[in-house]
Amino acid sequence: MKIYNSLNRQLEDFVPLNHEQVSIYSCGPTVYDYIHMGNARTALVTDIIRRYLVYRGYKVKLVQNLTDIDDKIINRAAELGVSAKQLAHQNGEAFFEDSQRLGIHPADVHPKATEHIPEMISLIQTLIDKGAAYVIDGSVYYRVNQFAEYGKLSNRKPEDLLAGARVEIDERKEDPRDFDMWKAAKPGEPSWDSPWGKGRPGWHIECSAMAMKHLGKTIDIHAGGEDLRFPHHENEIAQSELATGHTFARYWMHVAFLKIDGKRMGKSEQNFILLRDALDHYPTEVIRHFLISAHYRHPLDYNPESLAKSEGALRRLNNCLDALKKYDGQVDANETGVSPLQEAVETMKSRFTDAMDTDFNTAQALGAIFTLVSEVNRSFTTSNGADAPVFAQAYQALTETCEVLGIYNMDAQDGNDVEQRDQLIALLLDIRQEARSRKDWDTSDKIRDSLKELNIEIQDTRDGATWKIIS
RNA sequence: GGUGGCGUAGCCAAGUGGUAAGGCCAGAGUCUGCAAAACUCUUAUUCGUCGGUUCGAUUCCGACCGCCACCUCCA
């Protein structure tokens, strides 16, 4: 299994530090607003990495933080006339809700910055004690020149960092590259007591402290959006590695941007689509399919046309799965020979694994799945019924792989009234069939049209009528 | 200015030093009382342009053109 490690800018064999459990830290959102599709892409990639590692037999501990104290939260709260705490809480809850709607499994731990202030203070104190930080007017700054490897993640030399600096330089800092780990409180802002006076933590120290608290000094995979590579992740490394003397994260993964009209989707650009709005227009599986239709390290453009394409692809997949479903469980104990379809099932499984093993290539994995869909459909046209066990295998292989990607919802049909509904529809189809045999097209069409108005669509096939729910 | 990425059929998108996965759309067909749906088949001698290396390059190297991103908060 290989992962592209953005620290070394190359594909590397993935060997977890502890074979019992893979540790993953994923940078979560700053909860001053609802999350948008770009945030969703990163969260979804993390979700699928976790699912795939589990599929491959690993145990995984995933930590995804919430930044719940920050300038943006304070400012937005002031605009809305609510407390920062309240705003962060609301948006945190909304984040969990949206994530769940996208089918993202909750992380094992969702630490919040405001609940880890002591850990942050302790980490900052350690850095001060080591001479790697200094205090000015109640704020604490990280002394970048104390960390020789600063710039290793973003591949930047010290002079490069200074040359392009567009940020206004705080003259009090010893070095323009130094960044704050603790911000002295301004009047009216939320603050916590510290050895340096009232204040609040800087963004970078939050992740260092929370990651190490829940996953230890060294974590296997640290994931986040491309934009966090510098300065956020660079600073996390500087703080953590200087404090502990250990490698902070062994594999760094950065998810490329989601774009809209060719430009990066970003909150400051005002060109974002909220995840919850997208979920109101498209099923979960369609959005997931869209987001994984390109490799995670390549930019992806959000537009209605692309979503429509995913809708079409999902329809094809679901038709096949629905048709296969009735063979579920019909495994043949005394297997004889190897049919072409059986070979296709095995090929799909190995292609899927190869694709996912190579830096989680979901686009290629989808290719493997859809190739089998075609094979299955072709087999249907020539099947004589003896293939049931093979269809069962195909069903199992497809649902397993689709479950890893989260693009097939096996429980979608569950519900108490489903059985009765199905019986009623079966009855109507029965009546319609009788009418058709009398060539009573009026009655036949009336049933068909009326059901259609209820979003139930009849399809006449060679083997009789079937139906499905349309949206 | 520094750093990194991208440019593959009408659209989206994988991929490899040996001759291009998959999806959408389109065209044809099968099924059908009609329809819808579904399914099948077909669709890139070619991978931004120009050079180079090679028996052979879309894949490696160089130049150029175009696009995007990071260097400031943003996943």
Side-chain angles (χ1 to χ4, degrees):
Chain A
M1 188 166 180
K2 291 180 187 300
I3 290 180
Y4 182 88
N5 188 349
S6 30
L7 178 62
N8 302 318
R9 290 170 290 284
Q10 63 183 16
L11 218 51
E12 296 178 354
D13 284 323
F14 177 65
V15 182
L17 193 60
N18 174 353
H19 287 267
E20 298 294 303
Q21 189 176 68
V22 178
S23 56
I24 306 178
Y25 185 87
S26 176
C27 278
T30 299
V31 286
Y32 70 99
D33 199 352
Y34 297 128
I35 63 166
H36 64 236
M37 288 292 291
N39 300 295
R41 185 182 191 189
T42 302
L44 180 60
V45 167
T46 309
D47 181 58
I48 287 174
I49 289 170
R50 196 242 298 243
R51 289 183 190 219
Y52 184 66
L53 288 170
V54 169
Y55 174 81
R56 294 286 264 133
Y58 290 103
K59 277 187 184 155
V60 176
K61 183 174 182 183
L62 173 65
V63 175
Q64 183 189 37
N65 74 295
L66 269 69
T67 295
D68 62 345
I69 183 66
D70 171 88
D71 286 339
K72 282 186 158 57
I73 294 172
I74 293 169
N75 295 338
R76 178 66 61 86
E79 283 171 26
L80 298 175
V82 298
S83 73
K85 189 174 180 177
Q86 193 184 342
L87 180 72
H89 178 73
Q90 284 171 0
N91 286 316
E93 292 302 305
F95 163 66
F96 290 130
E97 188 186 309
D98 291 350
S99 296
Q100 191 185 16
R101 285 178 70 192
L102 225 211
I104 291 173
H105 298 321
D108 297 286
V109 187
H110 281 288
K112 292 178 180 169
T114 56
E115 292 169 2
H116 294 74
I117 303 288
E119 287 83 358
M120 295 170 200
I121 289 175
S122 163
L123 183 55
I124 294 169
Q125 189 61 54
T126 300
L127 288 165
I128 291 176
D129 295 344
K130 292 196 172 201
Y134 54 94
V135 183
I136 297 175
D137 296 338
S139 291
V140 185
Y141 295 88
Y142 183 92
R143 190 173 269 137
V144 169
N145 72 15
Q146 289 299 294
F147 187 61
E149 294 181 278
Y150 192 79
K152 68 177 175 180
L153 178 66
S154 51
N155 194 27
R156 288 176 162 90
K157 302 184 200 71
E159 54 272 29
D160 298 341
L161 288 167
L162 298 178
R166 280 179 280 162
V167 64
E168 213 172 302
I169 293 170
D170 183 343
E171 294 298 338
R172 300 177 303 174
K173 292 196 290 191
E174 293 178 4
D175 183 321
R177 296 175 299 163
D178 294 349
F179 55 90
D180 51 17
M181 296 187 291
W182 187 262
K183 299 168 188 285
K186 292 175 192 156
E189 285 184 357
S191 63
W192 288 262
D193 287 324
S194 82
W196 320 287
K198 282 189 176 297
R200 58 188 167 92
W203 179 34
H204 315 304
I205 200 72
E206 296 177 2
C207 280
S208 285
M210 289 189 280
M212 292 196 285
K213 158 103 184 265
H214 295 286
L215 296 170
K217 289 173 183 166
T218 300
I219 60 185
D220 286 313
I221 298 172
H222 191 132
E226 202 180 15
D227 48 343
L228 300 188
R229 189 164 175 165
F230 187 89
H232 186 54
H233 290 160
E234 191 74 60
N235 291 352
E236 278 186 55
I237 291 174
Q239 295 164 336
S240 307
E241 299 197 347
L242 199 47
T244 67
H246 290 80
T247 298
F248 177 49
R250 302 171 62 240
Y251 299 88
W252 286 88
M253 296 181 68
H254 290 102
V255 180
F257 292 130
L258 189 70
K259 302 196 295 179
I260 189 160
D261 297 329
K263 301 284 185 190
R264 175 199 174 171
M265 183 181 288
K267 287 186 177 170
S268 50
E269 300 296 327
Q270 295 295 317
N271 65 350
F272 55 86
I273 304 287
L274 256 26
L275 172 58
R276 54 177 50 204
D277 290 340
L279 282 163
D280 286 342
H281 287 91
Y282 304 99
T284 293
E285 290 75 22
V286 168
I287 295 176
R288 289 180 72 109
H289 179 277
F290 162 69
L291 288 173
I292 63 173
S293 62
H295 186 88
Y296 78 87
R297 280 190 286 114
H298 292 298
L300 176 65
D301 208 290
Y302 180 95
N303 54 62
E305 292 74 24
S306 289
L307 268 296
K309 288 170 189 170
S310 287
E311 253 176 341
L314 256 293
R315 203 179 308 126
R316 182 172 165 79
L317 175 67
N318 284 323
N319 284 332
C320 181
L321 253 8
D322 286 347
L324 280 175
K325 199 169 189 170
K326 60 172 173 279
Y327 299 100
D328 189 23
Q330 296 190 30
V331 180
D332 192 356
N334 42 328
E335 191 54 57
T336 54
V338 177
S339 71
L341 182 59
Q342 221 164 353
E343 267 177 51
V345 171
E346 293 309 315
T347 301
M348 188 281 274
K349 286 200 266 190
S350 68
R351 280 184 62 201
F352 177 84
T353 305
D354 288 347
M356 294 298 283
D357 269 356
T358 309
D359 199 30
F360 309 101
N361 193 331
T362 51
Q364 202 168 56
L366 286 171
I369 287 171
F370 279 91
T371 300
L372 181 58
V373 167
S374 288
E375 301 277 357
V376 168
N377 285 334
R378 215 170 298 138
S379 297
F380 276 144
T381 63
T382 58
S383 171
N384 55 15
D387 296 325
V390 189
F391 286 137
Q393 288 177 24
Y395 180 74
Q396 196 176 0
L398 284 170
T399 50
E400 272 178 20
T401 50
C402 288
E403 176 59 23
V404 171
L405 302 177
I407 54 171
Y408 180 60
N409 188 350
M410 279 173 276
D411 304 325
Q413 298 286 306
D414 279 2
N416 294 331
D417 303 328
V418 168
E419 199 177 335
Q420 193 173 32
R421 180 198 67 193
D422 291 357
Q423 287 169 351
L424 281 170
I425 294 173
L427 174 64
L428 283 167
L429 291 187
D430 216 34
I431 294 169
R432 177 165 174 270
Q433 191 49 50
E434 282 175 22
R436 295 180 78 213
S437 61
R438 291 194 308 268
K439 297 198 189 298
D440 178 2
W441 309 125
D442 286 345
T443 304
S444 166
D445 289 351
K446 183 175 182 184
I447 292 172
R448 181 176 66 192
D449 296 343
S450 301
L451 281 174
K452 178 111 188 203
E453 282 174 28
L454 299 170
N455 285 332
I456 294 164
E457 187 173 82
I458 290 181
Q459 295 148 10
D460 289 317
T461 71
R462 190 183 308 181
D463 306 322
T466 63
W467 59 273
K468 69 181 200 178
I469 294 179
I470 55 173
S471 53

